[in-house]
Amino acid sequence: MRILIIGSGGREHALAWKLKQCPAVTELFVAPGNGGTAGIAVNVPIKDSDIPALVAFAREKAVDLVVPGPELPLTLGVTDAMKEAGIPCFGPVAACARLEGSKSFAKEVMQAAGVPTAAAGVFTSRVDADAFAAEHGAPLVIKADGLAAGKGVIVAMTDEEVRAALDLMFEDHAFGDAAGTVLIEEFLRGEEVSLLCFCDGRTALPLPSAQDHKAVFDGDKGPNTGGMGAYSPAPVLPDERLDAMADIVTRPVLAEMARRGTPFTGILYAGLMMTEDGPKVLEYNVRFGDPECQPLLMRLKNDLVDVITACLEGRLDTVKLDIEDRSALGVVLTSAGYPGAYPKGMPVSGISSAEELDDVRVFQAGTRRDGERILSSGGRVLCVTALGRDLRDAQKRAYEGLDRLSMEHSQFRSDIGLKGLKRLGLA
Ligand code: AMP
Ligand code: GLY
């Protein structure tokens, strides 16, 4: 079986690592890939947004399965285009990828499906937005409608901040096309957690819970990033509640998308706020999260090709996920300055030494190979991920792995997993 993975992050390195272990896999391509995927697969210099080139490549190499990592190709219709070419692709069609690509669409689907979520207004006019903001008052959350690489959300705690956020969205067009439509949402309090499900159009099979760390600094301080670390399971959503949670936040959306004639196949990721009034959906992603994918795939014991094939063939109801009892935790090493400007081309050393530790993997993201050397080439450089007998042990082992790495001008959070440990009464 020849597989093409699309993307270049730590998630895609983890997908390549996991798929490489499947006996059916004979060739693995990653477009465009990174320094890590170069070591275990063939990197192909095609951008994740170049759908015609991806289809042409998949045809030329007689690829049997395409696995897109990021949201961009999915919202651009890579699954539709591959389908047209007769190539199975594990991800939702564009009509379903809108659940991530448009926050107003996601809100409308949630309301139609009866999924609990923050109350919100959708605005294309500044005057109406101001009137709504004045009526409700801070704190409010202001969201640009479209994809904005995680930057289109402003949590405004004062009326002053609400005004500034609306200025930014409506007047400065800070989010380009993404800001033509703006959502103003009720501010929710609680702990965040992610529930990812394999979906085959009808059936949703939950993976264990995971928790991301979006802010750049310890204690959830500083600007939001793509994610500074993640672990699984998150004690705020224990295994015994996964199925009931999928009934509330995932299966109704699956039913609604099927009812609309566009069934959802792929990974549906619900970003949840666990409030005093129960779970509320903050957002849907239509793919694996990065870095949640790294600890989740280290815990998944099934053959990933088998699970994906069952999704594509509509027989996920015959599959049982086999999950490692141990916890997994990943810490992201970034270039200093990220998510702002940062230097590139820094040598990274110690990767093989870190991987000599049992059940420690270094999933590379913003790296490239230069002969034998690995050089940084992006904001998030890599994610050291470890299994441990419990959350505390996984944390200890991931940081042990990180200790063996060195890169000048780098940074990382030293508190990945702390919220989980606190909830367990261990910190
Ligand atoms: P989103 O991309 O919609 O998940 O928003 C990004 C981040 O903003 C979330 O991970 C939350 O930390 C925060 N956020 C989004 N919506 C809300 C809300 N209604 N109340 C409080 N925080 C929110
Ligand atoms: N880590 C959050 C995301 O992948 O969107």
Side-chain angles (χ1 to χ4, degrees), residues 345-396:
M346 297 294 139
V348 184
S349 60
I351 291 177
S352 34
S353 166
E355 292 196 325
E356 278 166 16
L357 295 166
D358 285 339
D359 293 318
V360 173
R361 300 252 62 86
V362 177
F363 296 116
Q364 297 180 40
T367 66
R368 64 183 175 84
R369 283 194 176 221
D370 175 39
E372 288 302 295
R373 294 195 309 166
I374 296 287
L375 302 180
S376 69
S377 63
R380 291 194 288 176
V381 176
L382 53 81
C383 179
V384 186
T385 312
L387 287 170
R389 61 181 179 276
D390 52 25
L391 176 56
R392 206 214 301 260
D393 190 45
Q395 184 193 55
K396 177 170 151 280

Side-chain angles (χ1 to χ4, degrees), residues 76-154:
L76 292 175
V78 71
T79 301
D80 312 64
M82 292 290 175
K83 261 192 180 167
E84 216 160 276
I87 304 165
C89 182
F90 179 61
V93 293
C96 287
R98 282 183 79 202
L99 286 169
E100 176 164 1
S102 164
K103 289 182 186 293
S104 58
F105 176 73
K107 197 57 97 176
E108 186 259 307
V109 170
M110 282 188 258
Q111 283 160 359
V115 170
T117 182
V122 180
F123 303 96
T124 50
S125 127
R126 175 69 195 258
V127 175
D128 296 343
D130 280 340
F132 181 91
E135 185 190 334
H136 291 270
L140 289 169
V141 183
I142 320 295
K143 300 186 176 187
D145 187 47
L147 285 185
K151 299 186 187 82
V153 175
I154 299 173

Side-chain angles (χ1 to χ4, degrees), residues 103 107 117-119 140-143 150-155 157 185-190 192 212 214 224 269 271-273 281-285:
K103 289 182 186 293
K107 197 57 97 176
T117 182
L140 289 169
V141 183
I142 320 295
K143 300 186 176 187
K151 299 186 187 82
V153 175
I154 299 173
V155 178
M157 297 309 289
E185 222 176 74
E186 164 197 13
F187 173 76
L188 300 173
R189 276 170 226 278
E192 284 181 53
D212 188 13
K214 288 198 169 104
N224 271 354
Y269 165 143
L272 307 176
M273 185 74 91
V281 175
L282 293 175
E283 63 165 347
Y284 288 108
N285 295 323

